[in-house]
Amino acid sequence: MTETIIEAPVSDYDAFTLESLHDVHRYDGEQREIAPVVYMEKYDYYAITRFAEIQKALRDWRTFSSTDRPFYAPSPFRPRTLILEDPPEHTASKSAVFKVFDADNLAKMSEYFRAEAEKLLDNMLADGPAEINAYNDLSVKYVLKVFPDVLGLPEEGRELLLKFGDAVFNVFGPPSDLQARKLASGAEAMEWVESNTAREVQREGGIGWQLYSMADEGKISEHTAQQILKSIFAAGFDTTTASIASMIRAFADNPGEWEKLRANPDLVDNAWEEAIRFYPASRYGGRYAAKETVLGGVRIPQGAKILTMWLGAGRDPRQYDAPNEFRVDRDLKGGHLSFGFGIHTCAGNQVARLEARTLLRAMVERIEKIELVGEPRQTVNYQAFGHDYVPVRLTPAV
């Protein structure tokens, strides 16, 4: 049977207005229901909106290349290494990341993450129920302790990593007052980031030291070693802190799911995967069409710039039953796209998963109830999604 091919429906949707950014699940979801591929007229790009079509595109890097994307311009916040590479360059860079995040290093991290998560929660709950902002007091405090320690970063200045990450996730978008503010704030962190990715400050045996050692062995260039380390700084903090805070909001909004998880702690890993399906930390990715192609019955011309809409696809009803419900026991055998897919799956996803699951497991062991005590506040950001204010009461288990 011959496939019917159509031109992409044309939309006047602006994904970057403040109105859109304050309700991305609604507005990105509306575009998803128009078609699997929609042409966004205002900014001249194609949006791939649905789970199956995004997954299919990301399997085919030769057609859907990572070497360009909408709104791309050289930026100190977004090194080309990893994110804007295709094989063979990408293969060498990704192999270096896999090496520093191998099983031995992850095992060492696991033990340390667990000890710090337990210490943080025990101190927080020592005097009984605690009212906190789950973003600042739990997620940020935990992540900015454990991962910088693993990287061998100095204590002073770590908070700048959040400003840097916030800027990183506003680079790929149109010029606006919002973008200008985010990039100006991130600029305050650039000197600290450059200083702490330099070869001479890397602690022997640390992640950066291992990357520069690979450069000495000729596996990657010294420039690539520093750019990979900078990419770890860019993506290793902002999205993880956002994901953990959003996860806590999901449990506060759904107390029955917290009870279900406490009754069956073996669901911890699945619960975390459901949380990042429900609240992905990254809203979209970018590609360009190296040749004319057809996706989901829609023609995409050669040279087209493309956004892959992860967040909307995370609630695609064609992929998930009752996608707007948060269920810790959801069947996720088909996976999700919150870490991307294919050869460009987030290189640090194993570390992010380890951090979050370790903290969640310690919470399940120690916390009976998570209750909202105010209105959560979503961050306003082009590419990232999360919450910077999640006021909750944590009641310790007896």
Side-chain angles (χ1 to χ4, degrees), residues 252-270:
D253 283 336
N254 297 274
E257 296 304 296
W258 183 250
E259 292 174 7
K260 187 187 298 181
L261 181 59
R262 291 201 71 232
N264 187 356
D266 289 343
L267 288 172
V268 161
D269 289 0
N270 199 76

Side-chain angles (χ1 to χ4, degrees), residues 222-264:
E222 183 160 330
H223 173 76
T224 296
Q226 184 172 26
Q227 295 308 298
I228 290 174
L229 192 53
K230 188 183 291 186
S231 295
I232 292 170
F233 282 24
F237 297 94
D238 191 73
T239 52
T240 309
T241 55
S243 295
I244 290 173
S246 294
M247 173 187 70
I248 295 170
R249 185 205 172 152
F251 279 117
D253 283 336
N254 297 274
E257 296 304 296
W258 183 250
E259 292 174 7
K260 187 187 298 181
L261 181 59
R262 291 201 71 232
N264 187 356

Side-chain angles (χ1 to χ4, degrees), residues 19 54 59 77 91 142 168 177 182 224 228 285 293 301 303 336:
E19 181 182 5
I54 292 176
R59 286 193 177 103
F77 295 106
T91 305
Y142 169 66
V168 163
D177 289 343
K182 299 283 189 178
T224 296
I228 290 174
T293 190
H336 57 73

Side-chain angles (χ1 to χ4, degrees), residues 352-371:
R353 284 181 158 111
L354 182 60
E355 287 176 286
R357 291 168 174 174
T358 300
L359 179 63
L360 180 56
R361 193 167 285 108
M363 291 175 63
V364 167
E365 293 168 355
R366 289 162 172 78
I367 297 171
E368 180 180 351
K369 290 182 181 178
I370 303 174
E371 302 167 283

